[in-house]
Amino acid sequence: MDTVTPCLCGSGLAYSQCCGAFHSGEKIPATAEALMRSRYSAYALRDGDYLQATWVLNKRPKSIDFSKENVVWQRLEIIATKQGGLKDSKGVVEFKAYFEQAGEEQVLHEISRFTKLNGRWFYSDGTLKGIAKVGQPVLHGQNAPCACGSGKKFKRCCGKDASAGS
């Protein structure tokens, strides 16, 4: 992405001045929210290496496979943050990630937890609040359809690796 393309995380900055600097290793996110935004952009760009590198080691899945993903990530909405600042060691970010799948706009609602280790923020785990078509009630938790598009429930797909480390 060039120096004028807006960052996918919705910060309003150019990608190269925002998440691009994190993805390249030029900078590290200073807050849990900055890490959340950079991980969203990494998902949208299918950057599994960055996602692995920013996942706390004891909960990191063995691999991230985007080969069956058929969603187009559209935008990120940060709902709330709790702690996760420069002087904190833990943080929580609640967000909604909007995506298109099979021509329908949907939303994934999650509460993610972050831990700071040796001055760096890492994604620890998250609680899926639900997934729904935009404008419809959210299907909650582990029984919601997986956002990767596999057709399986979240708990039987992408949630399987995440819950195994919990």
Side-chain angles (χ1 to χ4, degrees), residues 26-158:
E26 179 184 333
K27 295 181 181 178
I28 61 170
T31 65
E33 181 178 327
L35 180 60
M36 175 66 243
R37 288 180 176 280
S38 70
R39 285 178 57 83
Y40 169 81
S41 292
Y43 266 104
L45 296 169
R46 291 168 172 73
D47 184 348
D49 291 339
Y50 182 79
L51 294 167
Q52 290 280 80
T54 57
W55 211 311
V56 72
L57 188 58
N58 67 340
K59 295 187 179 185
R60 185 180 301 163
K62 291 178 184 147
S63 65
I64 298 173
D65 181 9
F66 290 107
S67 66
K68 294 181 180 142
E69 184 168 306
N70 61 359
V71 302
V72 177
W73 296 98
Q74 297 178 321
R75 63 186 163 92
L76 175 68
E77 177 184 350
I78 302 295
I79 306 297
T81 58
K82 182 177 177 185
Q83 297 182 317
L86 298 174
K87 296 183 180 183
D88 297 317
S89 62
K90 294 187 183 241
V92 175
V93 179
E94 180 178 359
F95 68 93
K96 289 183 178 179
Y98 293 82
F99 61 96
E100 185 178 312
Q101 184 176 36
E104 296 182 316
E105 188 176 346
Q106 299 184 50
V107 61
L108 177 147
H109 185 179
E110 182 177 309
I111 298 174
S112 293
R113 288 173 285 284
F114 298 86
T115 303
K116 189 191 275 184
L117 303 167
N118 299 320
R120 290 187 77 136
W121 284 102
F122 292 90
Y123 171 76
S124 182
D125 59 21
T127 301
L128 181 67
K129 299 287 286 177
I131 299 175
K133 292 179 185 173
V134 172
Q136 294 186 358
V138 172
L139 299 172
H140 293 284
Q142 298 288 320
N143 289 317
C146 193
C148 77
S150 66
K152 297 178 184 177
K153 291 182 180 181
F154 176 77
K155 68 182 175 186
R156 302 258 185 248
C157 192
C158 295

Side-chain angles (χ1 to χ4, degrees), residues 15-32:
Y15 172 75
S16 63
Q17 300 300 310
C18 191
C19 295
F22 303 139
H23 296 166
S24 70
E26 179 184 333
K27 295 181 181 178
I28 61 170
T31 65

